Amino acid sequence: MITGASSDIGMDLMKKISENYEYIWAHYFRSGDGLGKLQEELGGKLLPVQADLSDRESTQQLIKKIREAGKLPDHIVHLPAPKSFNQKFHKCTWEDYQYGIDVSLRSIVMILKEFLPEMVKKRYGKIVLMLTAYVIGVPPKFQSPYITVKYGLLGLMRNLAAEYAGKGITVNGVSPDMIETKFLSQIPELIIEQNAKNTPMGRNLRVEEVIPTFEYLLSDGADLVTGQNIGVTGGVEIAR
């Protein structure tokens, strides 16, 4: 199951891992067109499911649909986050925080509360959360709501990894530096350019450079890797 599957990361990940699965639940909110095209390529293996993760009832309906279909996921990749934006702390509203909490944190808590017990019965499961390089080292200024929620996800990941370590379930995070995707549409171009110049590579990450880390954490080779937040940064934090 991939939440936020219509994102650039989600779409590329599904293309890369589709051969490893009998089916993939692909959650989307509004951007279902790309999923439709991918479904034509993958056939019945791809199971698109719509939900507004900021809405508790809509999230519950997503869970219900999967439960009633009887195809319960034992691999879950959680990608959704409201688009990051630059704003001084005193100008951010509580609603900015609450929306991020609902979309990114509450939704995965609800989903895992439903499906983790099923993984425990099988003594097998893999969970991967999209975090951010901003939780490694000193974060940038003016992104308090986004970074606060990501730290919440980091705490959830580490706690679940500790709780389920003896049950055959791994829980990990992937923390990439800035990636050139549509997710950056609300970030000023100057900041995107400055970030690129400040990296050892002299550019921002590409989607295809982040996907292999997700692939690894979902693979049998990572059966003993849990509670890890893997940075995909090109050495940014070292260069600083």
Side-chain angles (χ1 to χ4, degrees), residues 6-218:
S6 60
S7 64
D8 295 319
I9 294 287
M11 293 290 287
D12 202 59
L13 179 60
M14 287 186 292
K15 292 175 184 176
K16 293 292 178 62
I17 66 173
S18 60
E19 293 184 358
N20 302 333
Y21 297 93
E22 295 180 16
Y23 58 86
I24 300 174
W25 287 104
H27 158 263
Y28 69 97
F29 177 25
R30 291 195 183 98
S31 305
D33 292 342
L35 289 179
K37 295 175 183 176
L38 187 57
Q39 191 175 25
E40 292 177 6
E41 297 177 26
L42 302 182
K45 178 177 290 192
L46 191 66
L47 307 174
V49 56
Q50 191 277 337
D52 176 0
L53 298 184
S54 71
D55 182 80
R56 185 190 298 269
E57 179 59 30
S58 183
T59 305
Q60 192 59 54
Q61 287 302 313
L62 176 148
I63 294 169
K64 181 179 179 182
K65 182 174 182 177
I66 294 174
R67 169 66 72 177
E68 290 179 346
K71 296 182 176 182
L72 306 184
D74 53 23
H75 286 191
I76 297 176
V77 176
H78 185 60
L79 303 174
K83 288 185 178 180
S84 180
F85 60 91
N86 271 41
Q87 185 75 274
K88 291 183 178 180
F89 171 72
H90 72 274
K91 292 186 177 180
C92 295
T93 66
W94 173 249
E95 286 71 24
D96 295 326
Y97 292 86
Q98 188 66 61
Y99 185 65
I101 290 168
D102 293 345
V103 170
S104 297
L105 186 55
R106 184 184 65 190
S107 63
I108 192 59
V109 168
M110 292 175 65
I111 289 167
L112 293 180
K113 280 174 66 69
E114 183 72 21
F115 298 127
L116 261 174
E118 303 299 330
M119 296 181 194
V120 171
K121 291 177 185 177
K122 295 191 293 184
R123 298 193 67 79
Y124 177 76
K126 292 181 183 292
I127 299 158
V128 185
L129 307 182
M130 172 66 98
L131 301 177
T132 174
Y134 295 166
V135 300
I136 302 173
V138 179
K141 297 181 287 185
F142 310 137
Q143 296 196 36
S144 178
Y146 177 76
I147 294 170
T148 298
V149 173
K150 289 297 187 180
Y151 266 102
L153 284 169
L154 176 63
L156 177 69
M157 179 274 286
R158 287 182 169 158
N159 187 258
L160 292 181
E163 183 171 344
Y164 289 90
K167 297 178 172 62
I169 298 166
T170 63
V171 191
N172 293 289
V174 177
S175 282
D177 198 58
M178 188 175 287
I179 313 170
E180 293 285 354
T181 69
K182 60 193 176 208
F183 184 76
L184 302 180
S185 62
Q186 295 183 23
I187 298 293
E189 188 63 32
L190 178 60
I191 292 176
I192 297 173
E193 292 174 0
Q194 287 177 335
N195 189 85
K197 290 178 181 178
N198 291 333
T199 68
M201 302 178 296
R203 62 172 176 81
N204 294 315
L205 295 174
R206 304 184 183 107
V207 171
E208 62 269 21
E209 294 170 324
V210 178
I211 296 302
T213 305
F214 285 92
E215 289 185 90
Y216 168 65
L217 292 173
L218 294 170

